[in-house]
Amino acid sequence: MRSFLGTSVAKKIVMALAGLFLIIFLLVHLTINLFLLSDDPNPFNNAANFMAANPIIKAFELVLFAGFLIHITWGVILQIQNWLARPKKYIKHHSSQTSFFSKYMIYLGVIIFIFLIIHFVNFYFVKLGWVEGDPENFYDMAHKLFKIPVYSIIYLICFLFLAFHLHHAFQSAFQTIGLNHPKYTPTIKLIGTLYSIIVPLGFAIIPVIIYFFK
Amino acid sequence: MKITLKIWRQKTSQDKGKFVTYKLDDVSKEMTFLEMLDYLNEKIIMEGEIPIAFDSDCREGICGSCGLYINGRPNGPQKGVTTCQLSMSAFKDGDKITVEPWRSKAFPVLKDLIIDRNAFDELIQSGGYISVNTGAAPEANSIPIKKENSEIAFDAGVCIGCGSCVAACKNASAMLFISAKVSQYAVLPQGQVEAKERVQAMIKKMDELGFGNCTNTGACEAECPKEISLTNIARLNREFLAAKIS
Ligand code: HEM
Ligand code: FES
């Protein structure tokens, strides 16, 4: 196992698998969040409480943490190796044709990471009882938070950067695990582009609708 | 045609090095980039100075020794060419051209624009070969190979080991290079014997030599003079996974 995780390619593959897992998780999370748009707090709170109570979901939560941890840790380690691989930089800036967002993945990741921290302070820490709030009524809490303009703006910006991250990440993960095929890769790229637009947009419309219409 | 050149000069591998600006007034569009540098060197020698050191051998895009980083791109603005194949017709009157050596931890600069390319030799030694018994060459048609496989192998096999991929990559990764070597053997029966060890050994060596890793940015494919495709990197990853799992 140690030798498996030893090389850069192994780390990258594990990281890609963790990333794909996070991509699936985002879909589930978005589905639950959309209940926030209902005037009735119950569907959302029930979903949130179900998540908090169900032991299978509890176990899943650990896997989710591991997913983030692995993705972030390996991401940072690989990035540092990459920076060290070119100790002396070129003076004339790179002008090769490349996948644009791929050059900024680590910075986009750091922004997502900052968002995750805010997110944890808001919700998860309430659940654990570390921060004040009503763990039975996240619906109310989310609605209150989204009524604060600064909060909603930060939220929107973070999802914009998540969209950028995902735009490169989705197809990149397939390439990393070795799935590249002249026939299917264009479709994977298309799905990736759609995913990276639709999912972050889905998250982003929630605070906008709540702020203006609820 | 008048051009201004900003060229990296470095006396030895220990020297700090600096950019020096040269002006040329009468460059012909018919010259190749290296002929233009030869011409500049003649002038430098006439002035009693030390000429600019750069590598070249075949000057027809085969040996892979000539690569230079020109205006922010390996081998300059033309697509699918080595530096020796780059024509001055790609530039216009009054252009400023910046010339740098490949920059990578694994390719230290020896002098001016010449880098030490031994890291690629070490990569080949780690797995970029097949073992064959000595003796007469076997009958060519005794092992039939599917047309599509021979094409994949050939497309990967045209790699000349020039290092443009490393130079272009924001991570100075050698993934395109080793993926070309791994691919070329992975699809041929002759490569099967060492297949599992090859892919693992080459990746391990690449890490050891201080190359970066792949973030699927695609600069290597865009700049490769032989236009080697990123699909080879996916195949390398696949081969690696298969070697680890099975
Ligand atoms: C919901 C959150 C996230 C998702 C769904 C996600 C997804 C992905 C995926 C699928 C990849 C492609 C992996 C590959 O090509 O092998 C990737 C790459 C990457 N991610 Fe994330 N990621 C997330 C958050 C983060 C965070 C918080 C960080 C770091 C602080 C981060 C840093 C990186 C880095 C450095 C890369 C490598 C970039 C590259 O290979 O070009 N990501 N991400
Ligand atoms: S001198 Fe041989 S490839 Fe350019």
Side-chain angles (χ1 to χ4, degrees), chain A residues 12-13 15-16 19-20 22-23 26 68 71-72 75-76 79 102 105-106 108-110 112-113 116 162 165-166 168-170 172-174 176 195, chain B residues 170 214-217:
Chain A
K12 192 67 208 269
I13 290 174
M15 186 191 169
L20 284 174
L22 296 178
I23 281 177
L26 279 182
F68 270 113
H71 186 76
I72 295 169
V76 171
Q79 182 62 60
S102 72
M105 291 298 272
I106 187 70
L108 298 169
V110 167
I112 302 169
F113 183 66
L116 286 176
L162 177 68
H165 192 80
L166 293 173
H168 173 70
F170 194 98
S172 177
F174 284 88
T176 299
Y195 179 98
Chain B
K170 75 176 174 53
C214 182
T215 54
N216 305 324
T217 300

Side-chain angles (χ1 to χ4, degrees), chain B residues 132-144:
Chain B
V132 285
N133 294 328
T134 52
E139 155 59 34
N141 293 324
S142 60
I143 310 174

Side-chain angles (χ1 to χ4, degrees), chain A residues 4 30 79 106 112 146 167 178 189 192 195 204:
Chain A
F4 179 73
L30 174 61
Q79 182 62 60
I106 187 70
I112 302 169
F146 287 148
H167 185 269
K189 287 193 173 168
Y195 179 98

